[in-house]
Amino acid sequence: MGRRAPLSLLIAAALLLTSAAVAVPLAPANAAHRDTAAGAPVVEVYAAGGGIVPDGGDLQVSVVIANPSTEPVDPGQVSVSVGANAIATPAALADFQQDPQKAPLRALGTGVTTAVPAGGTLVVAQLTIPAASVDLPSSAPGVFGLAATVATPEGEVGTGAGTLIVPGAAPATVGVAAVMSLTAPVGATGLVSAQDLATYTAADGVLTRELGVAQHNPALTVGIDPMLLVSIRVLGQSAPASAQAWFVALTHLANPTFALQYGDADPAVQTQAGLAAPLQPSDFTYAMSAGDFNNAPLTVGEPTATAQTAAPTPTPSPTAGPQLPPLSELIGFPYKIDGVAWPAPGTVSGSDTAALAAAGLTTTIVSSANTNATKLGVTPDAALTTSGGSALVTDDAVSQALQAAATASDPTTATLTTAALYAQLALAAQNAPQGGVVLASLDRSLPTDVTYASAAVATVLGSAFTRPASLQDAQASAPTAGLALVDQRNAEDRIQRVQALLDLAGEPRTGGTADAVNIASFSSVLSNPVLLTGDVRARLLQLFSVGWVGSNAWNTAVSKQLSAMHANVTGVQIMAPESIRQASRQALIPITVTNKLTHPVDVVLRATPSSARLEVESDTVKTIAAGSSAKVLVPVRAQLSNGTVRLHLQLYSKTDVPIGDSHNAELDVHADWEGIGAIVFGVIVVGFFGFGLFRTIQRRRREKGEAKTEPDGDAGEATTDAAADGSAHEAPRG
């Protein structure tokens, strides 16, 4: 990284490309002076070699006009000037770029400009300024403003601002560590689809470009979004071939790496929303199909033959077929740096860093705008001690210049932004303490061209004003005296929207609505609740992505997710029953239950009567298939009275969580009078015959008593008569 020849060749190639007139869009990346009128032409100026003044040589200056208007810019003249005084700080450079004509200037030369068609961007003039006219002190290093004013017969077109750099005999250097994120474009699905993976990992896909930038700069530290790993692994054998090849290339990356939050979720907005620690993904069973895992899923590295031989034989599963990989296998990666949090710039407070440190994220990357760095008058080292942990402070001036150069999309813009980047590096070096280390970051904007982005990172790590450093070097640097974190927060509207998502998901947080209907409690209606909670958790994390900050589409994405979650918790319902007539003592009351979810659910229907006229024998348990309706039969028993009974109906999960809305069913109860009448008639009949039998027995007893009171003769006669009567009825004997 310390060799200068490759970098010089890159700069020379860019300058050669810009020597010809090119009609391409010009990105407003170098923060030079702009005419704020809508559609007005913009003048830009840069010097060859990144603006570094050659020792004793002539200076080559190019002037560019970007004309977004519908009218052409006529030919005219340009006058080029240099600032009379050196620029000492990034803030002073920003002031010069905003309005160069406010600064004292010294004329360098003039030239003729060519016409620029409507909607075109052209290099309209190239001037050679003799070394004698440049006349800047070669012994003392410094950054000087460069200005170019273009005028036509119709009037002044505008003034552009650039820089000239005098490196001095022995230019000061500063250690620079650089960090970038490896992320996909923002979304709200919780995973990157197979179709998107195929697009992003194609030859010119965004993930291919990002990985290419890292591969070209091994000293660049890379924060990896674990969602990319999981999205490929859950597809198993059905993952696109380009995604599998990209994954293998990632595993061979030589750069220092650390894990971003899943989905590049912003850890600061989560703590500010009341979470004790940032959320982690919980399960991806919902996204996997057993048929995709006949072979082992993608793993990191290539196992050796010895390791394969020594591996223990797995215990046979009680169920045949391939097994789905666990969460640890889906999300694992051999990161080289642990415990790093990277929130959105300018959104962090001391309480956030303390909460993150307690959660194991002991190093938080913050922007210098989140500190008092601009008040110190020096370039502070990256290291900053915070409550419970530490922070790494990115140099915003260097980082913004790096971002502009890395996202250039054409040669002219690349040259302009590279010159601006050199100026920021020179200022950082001349104001840094001896042996200092600063941190430069690429934000979540995705590079459009690997060549420009790689060259920009190489410039930061290997210019005449910098020494390549690592993230660990930045962590080990001595904190600058007086540097302090200035508490900042996310926009309140963003925090409130995050809180709404967390509450509906049922994620416990300080100040949350713990008793509200939510995904966590409702999911108990599924036999495997993580099929729902795992999906929702992944979607929320992606919605918390740093890449969403500042996007007008974020509120729409959040609203859609809230609607989807509400549809889930209301997706299992009792259909409002009609009035029911019960004419028998025992009956099964049919109640229709609908399940709009994509998973089957197990429900318990509990019916509570409003009157003792009706008795419900038991709760009813029923499994409702996904996307269907089913009848649930409620067993009831009528008591011995008629009337209307209101039956209160409520669904519950097997863990007794209320599911859906309750309903009332009106039952017109008619007890079973036919059966009751038969019983009463039978009782009367039995009573009648019983009464007759009782009277007969009583009469005979009276008769026997009377017979005992008559004389013995009569008794003997009665006996003889009885014997005679018995013999008369005796059956003949065989």
Side-chain angles (χ1 to χ4, degrees):
M1 298 301 298
R3 293 180 295 176
R4 299 292 186 266
L7 181 59
S8 301
L9 289 174
L10 283 170
I11 295 173
L15 291 174
L16 285 173
L17 286 168
T18 56
S19 64
V22 288
V24 292
L26 182 63
N30 69 334
H33 171 66
R34 306 281 180 189
D35 190 326
T36 57
V42 177
V43 178
E44 303 281 4
V45 60
Y46 63 89
I52 298 177
V53 177
D55 187 9
D58 295 341
L59 184 65
Q60 304 297 323
V61 175
S62 297
V63 180
V64 180
I65 294 181
N67 180 23
S69 70
T70 57
E71 298 293 331
V73 176
D74 293 334
Q77 288 192 332
V78 60
S79 59
V80 177
S81 305
V82 64
N85 303 312
I87 295 173
T89 65
L93 177 57
D95 290 341
F96 178 84
Q97 291 171 328
Q98 183 63 31
D99 193 347
Q101 294 177 325
K102 284 187 176 181
L105 299 172
R106 176 169 56 84
L108 291 180
T110 61
V112 176
T113 62
T114 59
V116 183
T121 298
L122 296 177
V123 177
V124 296
Q126 291 182 308
L127 286 72
T128 299
I129 311 296
S133 298
V134 177
D135 193 26
L136 292 175
S138 60
S139 59
V143 176
F144 294 83
L146 180 67
T149 301
V150 176
T152 67
E154 286 74 25
E156 185 175 300
V157 177
T159 300
T163 53
L164 294 178
I165 305 170
V166 178
T173 62
V174 63
V176 178
V179 60
M180 69 168 285
S181 62
L182 192 58
T183 57
V186 294
T189 58
L191 288 166
V192 184
S193 68
Q195 181 178 357
D196 285 342
L197 281 172
T199 300
Y200 299 159
T201 58
D204 194 39
V206 61
L207 291 179
T208 301
R209 297 197 301 270
E210 289 181 345
L211 188 60
V213 174
Q215 290 170 328
H216 281 87
N217 296 279
L220 175 64
T221 300
V222 181
I224 301 174
D225 182 356
M227 183 179 67
L228 303 177
L229 312 178
V230 176
S231 297
I232 296 172
R233 283 169 166 158
V234 296
L235 296 174
Q237 294 170 263
S238 65
S242 62
Q244 296 190 41
W246 181 90
F247 185 95
V248 172
L250 178 65
T251 64
H252 291 92
L253 193 65
N255 303 62
T257 55
F258 66 91
L260 298 170
Q261 296 294 290
Y262 184 91
D264 192 22
D266 188 337
V269 77
Q270 295 179 68
T271 58
Q272 289 166 20
L275 290 176
L279 297 180
Q280 302 296 328
S282 59
D283 191 89
F284 293 99
T285 306
Y286 69 92
M288 291 185 282
S289 173
D292 291 329
F293 294 94
N294 293 324
N295 297 325
L298 286 171
T299 56
V300 178
E302 297 292 336
T304 64
T306 303
Q308 290 177 332
T309 303
T313 302
T315 303
S317 171
T319 58
Q323 298 299 300
L324 299 179
L327 176 64
S328 59
E329 192 171 313
L330 292 173
I331 209 163
F333 193 83
Y335 299 107
K336 299 173 184 176
I337 305 172
D338 296 325
V340 177
W342 194 359
T347 63
V348 181
S349 68
S351 60
D352 297 327
T353 61
L356 295 175
L361 299 170
T362 54
T363 300
T364 303
I365 298 176
V366 301
S367 66
S368 58
N370 216 149
T371 70
N372 63 344
T374 57
K375 299 180 179 179
L376 300 181
V378 297
T379 302
D381 279 347
L384 174 63
T385 302
T386 62
S387 176
S390 64
L392 286 176
V393 181
T394 63
D395 187 303
D396 284 357
V398 173
S399 297
Q400 290 166 11
L402 169 61
Q403 182 68 26
T407 53
S409 57
D410 62 83
T412 303
T413 304
T415 304
L416 284 164
T417 53
T418 299
L421 177 57
Y422 268 110
Q424 294 294 349
L425 294 172
L427 288 175
Q430 72 182 34
N431 292 318
Q434 184 68 28
V437 177
V438 300
L439 179 62
S441 67
L442 287 165
D443 66 24
R444 272 64 167 192
S445 297
L446 308 172
T448 56
D449 187 281
V450 174
T451 301
Y452 298 139
S454 299
V457 174
T459 298
V460 164
L461 296 175
S463 76
F465 312 104
T466 58
R467 309 181 308 274
S470 66
L471 200 70
Q472 292 94 329
D473 293 332
Q475 290 174 315
S477 63
T480 301
L483 182 65
L485 190 69
V486 176
D487 285 352
Q488 295 180 7
R489 285 171 59 86
N490 281 269
E492 286 304 316
D493 177 67
R494 177 174 171 79
I495 295 174
Q496 291 170 8
R497 299 282 277 173
V498 170
Q499 289 173 335
L501 289 167
L502 293 172
D503 289 342
L504 189 50
E507 301 290 356
R509 66 175 185 87
T510 302
T513 53
D515 57 347
V517 176
N518 57 62
I519 293 291
S521 60
F522 171 81
S523 66
S524 60
V525 78
L526 277 67
S527 59
N528 188 9
V530 296
L531 292 175
L532 180 58
T533 57
D535 184 11
V536 170
R537 175 74 67 85
R539 291 173 185 267
L540 261 58
L541 284 167
Q542 194 180 18
L543 276 172
F544 298 162
S545 173
V546 174
W548 276 114
V549 176
S551 170
N552 294 328
W554 185 70
N555 280 331
T556 301
V558 170
S559 296
K560 288 182 178 179
Q561 179 61 28
L562 288 170
S563 296
M565 292 162 68
H566 181 73
N568 278 329
V569 298
T570 58
V572 180
Q573 292 284 356
I574 297 170
M575 290 188 66
E578 299 178 354
S579 296
I580 301 170
R581 179 183 178 85
Q582 182 183 351
S584 59
R585 189 180 184 198
Q586 288 183 306
L588 295 173
I589 306 300
I591 303 298
T592 301
V593 176
T594 62
N595 172 23
K596 297 181 180 179
L597 304 185
T598 56
H599 306 288
V601 297
D602 299 322
V603 296
V604 178
L605 179 58
R606 186 168 300 161
T608 306
S610 62
S611 168
R613 292 188 181 98
L614 195 70
E615 175 187 349
V616 178
E617 295 184 349
S618 65
D619 293 342
T620 307
V621 180
K622 182 79 172 181
T623 298
I624 314 294
S628 67
S629 300
K631 298 287 187 182
V632 180
L633 303 178
V634 180
V636 298
R637 182 193 303 270
Q639 302 303 315
L640 298 180
S641 64
N642 291 338
T644 300
V645 177
R646 182 179 295 107
L647 199 61
H648 180 76
L649 303 171
Q650 176 66 61
L651 290 175
Y652 292 87
S653 70
K654 289 185 176 181
T655 57
D656 215 33
V657 174
I659 302 297
D661 298 328
S662 63
H663 289 273
N664 291 318
E666 297 287 341
L667 268 71
D668 187 12
V669 178
H670 293 269
D672 189 1
W673 285 111
E674 293 84 353
I676 296 173
I679 293 173
V680 172
F681 179 76
V683 171
I684 292 173
V685 171
V686 171
F688 176 79
F689 282 103
F691 180 71
L693 179 62
F694 174 76
R695 292 189 61 185
T696 301
I697 293 172
Q698 289 295 100
R699 186 179 67 250
R700 289 186 176 183
R701 285 179 177 177
R702 285 196 303 271
E703 290 174 351
K704 288 181 179 181
E706 292 173 357
K708 289 180 180 181
T709 57
E710 292 180 358
D712 293 340
D714 292 340
E717 183 179 347
T719 303
T720 304
D721 292 341
D725 183 67
S727 63
H729 293 281
E730 183 177 355
R733 298 179 182 274

